[in-house]
Amino acid sequence: MALDSNSDELQSSKHPWRLGLLLTAPFARIGRSTISLVGNLGASAIFLMLAFLKILHPKQWRKIVQQIYYIGARSTMIIMLVSLFTGMVIGLQSYTALVKFGAQGALGTLVSLTLVRELGPVLTAIMIAARAGSAITAEIGIQRISEQIDALDTMRIDPLRFLISPRIAASIISFPILTAVFDIVGIIGGYISGVILLGANAGAYVYRVQTSMDMKDVTDGFIKSIVFALIVSTVCCYQGYFAHMRTDSHGAKAVGLSTTSAVVISCVLILVSDYVVTSLLIR
Amino acid sequence: MDKPLIEFKDVTKRFGSRTILDRVNLKIYAGQVTTIIGLSGSGKSVLLKHIIGLLKPDEGTILFQGESLNEMKKSERIAKLAQISYMFQDNALFDSLTVYENIALPLLETTNLNKAEIDRRVMARIEQTELKDAACKYPSEMSGGMQKRAALARALVTDPTIVLFDEPTSGQDPVRKNAILSMIAQYQRKFGFTAIMVSHEIPDVYFISNRILALYDRAIVFQGSPEELEEFDHPFKDEVIRSLEGLQQELTGLYSQRQFKVMHHAQLTHKTRGETYSMVVFTLDDLGAVMTGAGHEAVRKTIRSMGRFIDKHFGAIGGFSTRRSANHFVTVLPYSDRREAESILADFAQEFQERGMKDGYEGLERRKASGDCIELVIRAGIAQGEPVTEIESVIEAAEANKKEIAHLRCDVRG
């Protein structure tokens, strides 16, 4: 009833401007979102570039090693666990499908190419974004709202050099190594389910793994992992660094929302960029 | 007067539609302790952040040694601002670093000093701020006071020429508050840096400040010495200063700390070198135990009685007094030497023992039924000072000479 009366009022000649606003509101919202998106993309690119240029500063090495430990070494177990079961489930599904065509000998090819070309880099990046990326955003966000980043400024310590560059460098180093770990453990997982549990030929599996992959598959996987490293580290650092500028919340809540945004945006961008990079690299 | 070190010219700052600073004009001089006073939320910290370059004005100019910060080359501006150190209100210590690492951070990241030299400098600051036992602790493992001292040590470790203190005593107990202010004053004298402090601890800061800036209604309404502030006629004084001083004056009848400093300055500056005055400090010991045993009302009566008796006794011979903290009184006898002061103090002690503690005693009497015995000890110390001597050091000397002058013990047998 109230809605009807409001609609009547809106459509009445007394308030013609309200009707106009109602009609243009969706376009205005889309426009604002687009401007904000483009602005954020530009700011992120500048943020990445400025931080990237500071990686080679002489006082960075110790911090980079520390970050490799936090981002890389401490993610190893979770990556191995995920990759083992991913390999096992690929082995299980592939064997069940291949056996219908009598092509179970191709199990090694299927498992290794799936992992090395696609799932290795993508799942590794998503796992690191969830484990280390969220921690990066939360840590930097808390440092921002508790004025620790301002304190760096007052001490003439460049926050981008001190906080961001080591994390980007550590990601560029850690992601390909963890991707390689994922690939190897995943192939072992495929072997466990396909060969040990389901009875596929062990020699055929290993032979197919060796012969079906060439160096380009491996390097393409690494290129992807480096692209994902740049995306995840930039998005997570950017979200934490500018947590205080969120318009939807303040303080601890802003850090929480930034952390969620960082993981979601990272995962979406990993999948989108995976398609783009694959399109560029595919023969 | 000399050329100002820092000068604001019509500086305006807005956050959205809210104007925080409106055409602010101020001058800060080198080698002085300048305190910006004002109520909470009046924009004092925002003003300080403009000085260090964390915020930029929407309108107006900030001059550093006569040059506009906005018009300087980036490298020049960085070099100028590198002389400034900042102590944040909430300390802004890195919670993932230990106290030692926090203090060492600016040296590690901005200098090429070797590890041994950094260690020497950091340990010196840690010892000066009494943090030796906490050097390996994380900020979250320490009390608020210790965190404050760690932040102070970090601000001073680079030997800056200008140090900005944002509410350095907030959240501190009266003893620590005095200790931090004394430490700032002591370091300022020792190292000669320019201290710019933001505070709403209005009576306390007068003892260490050379110059006061009053921020009121988004603008600086007063710039001058604490003594000049006494003559200042503005709503700021009624709303801010008198409201904060009123309670103490009403309770004890003594001068506020600001008025005390003004009196101290006015009475003693015209004395010539070699002329002396006497300083007496009084302490009511175990006031906490009296509070627990006899209640707040008895403590209030005892303090009031003490203040009024001091005023009656020493005011008659030209002395002036103030209450520095809950149980601590200071009296200056400008025309008395030490011998004379000792004689007056003996008379005071005798009369106070007989009559002055009556109010408090009545309060304590009520506790007889409980069978607890409450002791109240009054100690006093005398020191001789010269006009050129810092008031704090004379007070410290008097503190060192303190001895018991009166003693009240409740009689549980009734």
Side-chain angles (χ1 to χ4, degrees):
Chain A
M1 197 68 172
L3 188 68
D4 288 343
S5 65
N6 284 342
S7 303
D8 290 342
E9 197 183 325
L10 280 173
Q11 287 167 21
S12 73
S13 58
K14 276 185 179 177
H15 304 290
W17 54 273
R18 282 198 179 180
L19 183 63
L21 276 181
L22 202 67
L23 290 171
T24 56
F27 299 104
R29 192 171 296 169
I30 292 168
R32 274 196 296 273
S33 303
T34 309
I35 291 168
S36 167
L37 177 70
V38 172
N40 275 324
L41 281 174
S44 306
I46 294 167
F47 181 80
L48 169 64
M49 194 182 71
L50 290 174
F52 193 83
L53 291 174
K54 288 160 185 160
I55 287 175
L56 296 176
H57 191 278
K59 290 184 189 285
Q60 296 291 72
W61 302 113
R62 194 163 163 267
K63 289 194 281 286
I64 291 172
V65 172
Q66 271 178 349
Q67 289 303 324
I68 289 172
Y69 173 71
Y70 288 120
I71 296 170
R74 291 180 72 169
S75 301
T76 311
M77 285 311 294
I78 188 74
I79 292 294
M80 287 173 74
L81 193 69
V82 170
S83 59
L84 180 71
F85 284 98
T86 305
M88 284 176 74
V89 82
I90 294 171
L92 181 64
Q93 291 281 15
S94 305
Y95 183 84
T96 316
L98 290 170
V99 84
K100 290 179 185 167
F101 307 102
Q104 58 268 47
L107 181 65
T109 306
L110 198 58
V111 170
S112 59
L113 287 182
T114 309
L115 285 169
V116 172
R117 284 183 181 177
E118 281 304 325
L119 289 183
V122 170
L123 286 182
T124 302
I126 289 174
M127 289 311 300
I128 300 176
R131 201 204 73 83
S134 55
I136 289 172
T137 309
E139 187 181 347
I140 296 174
I142 289 168
Q143 287 178 336
R144 169 60 80 186
I145 62 163
S146 61
E147 293 185 311
Q148 292 173 36
I149 294 178
D150 287 343
L152 288 174
D153 270 321
T154 64
M155 291 186 272
R156 307 299 146 208
I157 301 170
D158 184 347
L160 286 182
R161 174 180 74 73
F162 186 75
L163 295 173
I164 312 300
S165 300
R167 287 172 168 86
I168 290 175
S171 298
I172 292 170
I173 295 166
S174 302
F175 272 58
I177 295 171
L178 288 174
T179 301
V181 171
F182 191 104
D183 293 345
I184 293 164
V185 178
I187 289 167
I188 293 169
Y191 182 90
I192 291 169
S193 63
V195 176
I196 298 174
L197 299 178
L198 297 172
N201 186 285
Y205 184 87
V206 175
Y207 176 74
R208 289 289 189 171
V209 168
Q210 283 178 335
T211 55
S212 56
M213 275 196 301
D214 56 26
M215 200 56 203
K216 189 177 184 308
D217 295 317
V218 178
T219 52
D220 285 0
F222 284 158
I223 289 168
K224 282 183 183 179
S225 70
I226 290 169
V227 172
F228 298 155
L230 289 171
I231 289 170
V232 171
S233 58
T234 307
V235 168
C236 293
C237 290
Y238 182 85
Q239 287 291 328
Y241 198 81
F242 294 107
H244 64 307
M245 290 178 73
R246 290 187 77 93
T247 51
D248 54 353
S249 57
H250 299 279
K253 197 173 177 189
V255 176
L257 289 175
S258 294
T259 307
T260 308
S261 301
V263 175
V264 172
I265 295 169
S266 295
C267 292
V268 170
L269 287 180
I270 286 166
L271 296 173
V272 172
S273 62
D274 182 43
Y275 178 79
V276 174
V277 175
T278 306
S279 309
L280 294 172
L281 294 174
I282 207 154
R283 267 192 279 246
Chain B
M1 199 170 248
D2 297 338
K3 201 168 95 174
L5 178 68
I6 295 163
E7 187 174 1
F8 277 42
K9 282 189 172 173
D10 293 327
V11 168
T12 298
K13 181 69 184 176
R14 297 183 196 92
F15 291 122
S17 58
R18 218 155 56 92
T19 304
I20 307 296
L21 302 176
D22 189 13
R23 298 173 69 83
V24 164
N25 291 287
L26 62 86
K27 288 175 181 172
I28 291 163
Y29 295 94
Q32 292 189 342
V33 179
T34 301
T35 302
I36 302 162
I37 59 172
L39 292 174
S40 296
S42 60
K44 302 187 296 292
S45 300
V46 171
L47 200 154
L48 214 57
K49 284 178 181 173
H50 278 83
I51 297 175
I52 190 105
L54 284 177
L55 292 173
K56 289 191 170 54
D58 294 326
E59 289 164 27
T61 317
I62 299 172
L63 303 177
F64 194 99
Q65 290 168 334
E67 293 177 66
S68 168
L69 279 176
N70 288 344
E71 289 165 18
M72 280 179 200
K73 286 179 190 165
K74 194 182 172 189
S75 57
E76 205 181 341
R77 189 169 62 243
I78 289 171
K80 296 268 186 202
L81 295 178
Q83 302 169 32
I84 308 176
S85 207
Y86 191 102
M87 184 178 154
F88 282 81
Q89 186 172 354
D90 295 323
N91 307 318
L93 292 168
F94 281 83
D95 36 24
S96 55
L97 301 180
T98 63
V99 167
Y100 180 95
E101 290 165 341
N102 263 290
I103 298 170
L105 186 65
L107 295 178
L108 278 169
E109 291 295 327
T110 60
T111 69
N112 291 319
L113 296 172
N114 60 39
K115 199 172 174 295
E117 177 60 15
I118 290 175
D119 186 60
R120 190 189 66 74
R121 291 190 188 195
V122 173
M123 287 315 294
R125 288 287 182 257
I126 283 177
E127 279 169 24
Q128 284 160 347
T129 47
E130 298 169 42
L131 286 168
K132 208 170 176 184
D133 295 337
C136 297
K137 285 186 178 173
Y138 289 93
S140 58
E141 297 172 326
M142 304 194 303
S143 68
M146 291 167 88
Q147 289 181 22
K148 210 69 159 175
R149 281 181 280 149
L152 183 61
R154 188 178 69 182
L156 296 175
V157 78
T158 49
D159 297 331
T161 56
I162 303 166
V163 186
L164 312 185
F165 299 94
D166 192 354
E167 302 272 12
T169 57
S170 65
Q172 301 295 305
D173 59 64
V175 176
R176 285 275 174 231
K177 198 190 292 181
N178 282 336
I180 288 173
L181 290 178
S182 300
M183 189 162 61
I184 291 170
Q186 184 193 337
Y187 284 150
Q188 195 274 332
R189 281 197 299 272
K190 188 173 173 186
F191 301 114
F193 58 76
T194 305
I196 305 167
M197 188 162 56
V198 150
S199 181
H200 58 250
E201 303 284 355
I202 284 177
D204 300 307
V205 295
Y206 291 115
F207 285 98
I208 65 163
S209 307
N210 303 104
R211 196 172 153 80
I212 302 287
L213 307 181
L215 185 63
Y216 178 76
D217 197 19
R218 302 187 293 275
I220 293 288
V221 294
F222 172 80
Q223 300 186 59
S225 67
E227 292 78 21
E228 287 165 345
L229 185 59
E230 188 67 8
E231 307 301 321
F232 179 57
D233 186 23
H234 190 274
F236 173 81
K237 206 167 161 185
D238 294 324
E239 282 183 36
V240 183
I241 299 179
R242 289 199 179 123
S243 62
L244 285 164
E245 291 175 349
L247 278 176
Q248 183 176 333
Q249 286 174 290
E250 195 182 313
L251 180 63
T252 60
L254 302 179
Y255 288 110
S256 69
Q257 292 196 37
R258 181 174 58 83
Q259 288 167 323
F260 177 78
K261 194 187 176 191
V262 171
M263 293 283 286
H264 179 266
H265 184 77
Q267 295 259 359
L268 303 176
T269 45
H270 65 266
K271 281 182 179 277
T272 56
R273 185 176 284 275
E275 282 191 280
T276 59
Y277 68 93
S278 293
M279 171 85 74
V280 189
V281 296
F282 300 89
T283 326
L284 285 163
D285 282 357
D286 298 327
L287 211 56
V290 177
M291 175 81 87
T292 314
H296 176 262
E297 185 60 17
V299 170
R300 204 180 68 83
K301 282 182 172 178
T302 307
I303 290 170
R304 188 181 62 185
S305 173
M306 179 90 177
R308 297 207 165 155
F309 235 77
I310 288 173
D311 191 37
K312 180 185 157 196
H313 223 81
F314 295 96
I317 53 161
F320 51 93
S321 314
T322 190
R323 182 177 164 218
R324 293 195 87 207
S325 62
N327 63 339
H328 194 207
F329 296 79
V330 178
T331 297
V332 169
L333 300 169
Y335 312 109
S336 307
D337 61 15
R338 191 183 175 114
R339 187 183 293 272
E340 195 180 356
E342 277 171 359
S343 163
I344 299 165
L345 183 62
D347 292 344
F348 164 82
Q350 192 180 351
E351 197 175 344
F352 190 67
Q353 177 82 53
E354 288 168 8
R355 293 172 52 205
M357 292 170 95
K358 200 174 172 187
D359 277 351
Y361 188 76
E362 281 172 3
L364 300 181
E365 281 278 290
R366 294 194 200 106
R367 298 292 299 180
K368 280 183 182 175
S370 71
D372 295 335
C373 186
I374 301 157
E375 277 191 318
L376 185 61
V377 177
I378 295 158
R379 295 193 300 139
I382 302 175
Q384 202 154 293
E386 288 184 28
V388 289
T389 321
E390 285 288 335
I391 186 170
E392 291 294 333
S393 57
V394 185
I395 292 173
E396 275 172 29
E399 291 276 359
N401 296 331
K402 270 194 312 196
K403 58 185 180 188
E404 187 180 313
I405 59 158
H407 190 136
L408 173 73
R409 183 190 288 270
C410 70
D411 185 356
V412 293
R413 291 163 300 182

